[in-house]
Amino acid sequence: MKFFDDIRIGDRRELGRHQFTAAEIKRFAVNFDPQPFHMDEEAARRSHFGALCASGWHTTAACMRLIVDFHKRLAAEMISRGERPAKIGPSPGFKNLKWLKPIYAGDTVAFASEVIETRPSVSRPQWGVVRMRTIGTNQKGERVYEIENIAFIERRAA
Amino acid sequence: MKFFDDIRIGDRRELGRHQFTAAEIKRFAVNFDPQPFHMDEEAARRSHFGALCASGWHTTAACMRLIVDFHKRLAAEMISRGERPAKIGPSPGFKNLKWLKPIYAGDTVAFASEVIETRPSVSRPQWGVVRMRTIGTNQKGERVYEIENIAFIERRAA
């Protein structure tokens, strides 16, 4: 991760894309969200969704995977340049999780994050607080997913 | 699901318990959150968590599974009494997702939901809007998880 001091409001990072295959949608649903429209094409066709679509929690998990992979790549690049990546604190949670449209089997969703607020932490001066909005957009350009999170990110030593 | 008309502020439902085993924590992490403290006991011991703990997205998914199973049991009971279960609309999303404390390998978390607001939908008169808070409590009685959601629930025909 970049250090808090190098992060600006409006900074945007493309996290990557994920294709939600029918097989993966069903596998997630069997374990965590066994509702008919996430498990069976025919049942999904008869539901309000009209076709097999991913559990909303599958979306959050797939997005998290891209975020982790992004941070690993970024850390590797920083290390290869001889820099030390900044530490990130444990996530306290999220706000305003929105499943704006269904993600159907075969859809590919591109995820991107944008910094919407930065401030030094009052209680923990070695950390900065960064608020980000992460957005998922499908292959038709439709926004399907949105979530806001707060991260604690290390500041450079004074 | 009960009909909107039969739901009251303060109604509480015990959703069930889930034990987060080390094997399950690692399996989720490999797919969706491959960070060292979710995948490896030794690496977790050296991290700020101090021991292997579940991905926050594993918590949300495990909670969803209990919610779906709860609704299925409730629907089966209603049908066995000759009642028709109420329909639930697609979830628009969640607010204020809080991972209050880590969930460590071996922890058992009890999840419960409480109704915090009910109101008729203005735009869709056949639906009511129910706001709920779902809470996860570990075996020591510590609150580890909290999330708020809004559900659209069918009203009885006038």
Side-chain angles (χ1 to χ4, degrees):
Chain A
M1 190 64 184
K2 288 207 258 185
F3 281 80
F4 173 73
D5 315 68
D6 301 327
I7 294 170
R8 298 285 170 266
I9 290 172
D11 281 357
R12 187 183 157 90
R13 44 188 204 172
E14 308 292 335
L15 299 166
R17 289 162 195 281
H18 184 78
Q19 186 176 31
F20 291 79
T21 64
E24 195 192 84
I25 286 172
K26 292 177 193 179
R27 199 178 322 126
F28 188 94
V30 166
N31 285 312
F32 298 117
D33 194 351
Q35 300 189 77
F37 35 77
H38 300 319
M39 296 178 73
D40 181 80
E41 278 85 354
E42 250 318 294
R45 231 186 303 280
R46 293 190 306 266
S47 76
H48 46 254
F49 292 116
L52 190 75
C53 58
S55 166
W57 298 111
H58 184 180
T59 310
T60 61
C63 178
M64 185 64 192
R65 175 61 192 261
L66 290 173
I67 290 171
V68 172
D69 289 349
F70 176 88
H71 281 147
K72 285 184 181 173
R73 284 197 302 276
L74 190 63
E77 284 169 23
M78 291 180 79
I79 289 165
S80 78
R81 286 197 303 265
E83 299 170 34
R84 178 173 75 76
K87 291 185 189 134
I88 312 181
S91 170
F94 284 78
K95 282 196 177 195
N96 302 327
L97 195 178
K98 294 180 192 170
W99 295 305
L100 301 165
K101 280 174 180 284
I103 297 175
Y104 291 106
D107 281 359
T108 297
V109 179
F111 293 91
S113 287
E114 205 170 277
V115 174
I116 54 179
E117 187 188 344
T118 63
R119 56 184 166 81
S121 168
V122 177
S123 54
R124 294 186 280 176
Q126 70 276 36
W127 296 94
V129 180
V130 175
R131 202 151 61 87
M132 278 175 281
R133 183 177 294 124
T134 298
I135 285 163
T137 308
N138 69 15
Q139 72 280 0
K140 296 184 209 163
E142 297 166 329
R143 187 176 292 197
V144 294
Y145 177 62
E146 205 178 295
I147 192 167
E148 274 177 38
N149 77 303
I150 282 180
F152 287 89
I153 297 175
E154 190 181 2
R155 300 178 71 174
R156 289 189 193 286
Chain B
M1 192 62 184
K2 287 207 258 184
F3 281 82
F4 174 73
D5 314 67
D6 302 326
I7 294 170
R8 300 282 170 271
I9 291 172
D11 281 358
R12 187 182 157 91
R13 43 188 205 172
E14 308 294 334
L15 298 166
R17 287 163 196 280
H18 183 77
Q19 186 177 30
F20 291 79
T21 65
E24 195 192 83
I25 286 172
K26 292 177 191 178
R27 199 178 322 127
F28 188 95
V30 166
N31 285 311
F32 299 115
D33 194 350
Q35 299 189 78
F37 35 77
H38 301 318
M39 295 177 73
D40 181 81
E41 278 84 354
E42 249 320 293
R45 230 186 304 278
R46 293 191 305 267
S47 75
H48 46 254
F49 292 116
L52 189 74
C53 59
S55 164
W57 298 111
H58 185 180
T59 309
T60 61
C63 179
M64 185 63 191
R65 175 60 192 263
L66 291 174
I67 291 172
V68 172
D69 289 349
F70 177 87
H71 282 148
K72 285 183 182 175
R73 283 197 303 276
L74 191 62
E77 285 168 24
M78 291 180 79
I79 289 164
S80 78
R81 286 197 302 265
E83 298 169 35
R84 178 173 77 74
K87 291 183 189 135
I88 311 180
S91 171
F94 283 78
K95 284 200 175 188
N96 302 328
L97 195 177
K98 294 181 192 168
W99 295 304
L100 301 165
K101 280 174 181 283
I103 296 175
Y104 291 106
D107 280 359
T108 297
V109 179
F111 293 91
S113 287
E114 204 169 279
V115 174
I116 53 180
E117 188 188 344
T118 64
R119 58 185 164 82
S121 168
V122 177
S123 55
R124 295 186 280 177
Q126 69 277 35
W127 295 94
V129 180
V130 175
R131 201 151 62 86
M132 278 174 283
R133 183 176 295 124
T134 297
I135 284 163
T137 308
N138 70 13
Q139 70 280 0
K140 296 185 213 162
E142 297 167 328
R143 187 177 292 198
V144 294
Y145 176 63
E146 205 178 293
I147 192 168
E148 275 177 37
N149 79 304
I150 281 180
F152 287 90
I153 297 175
E154 190 182 1
R155 301 179 70 175
R156 289 190 192 284

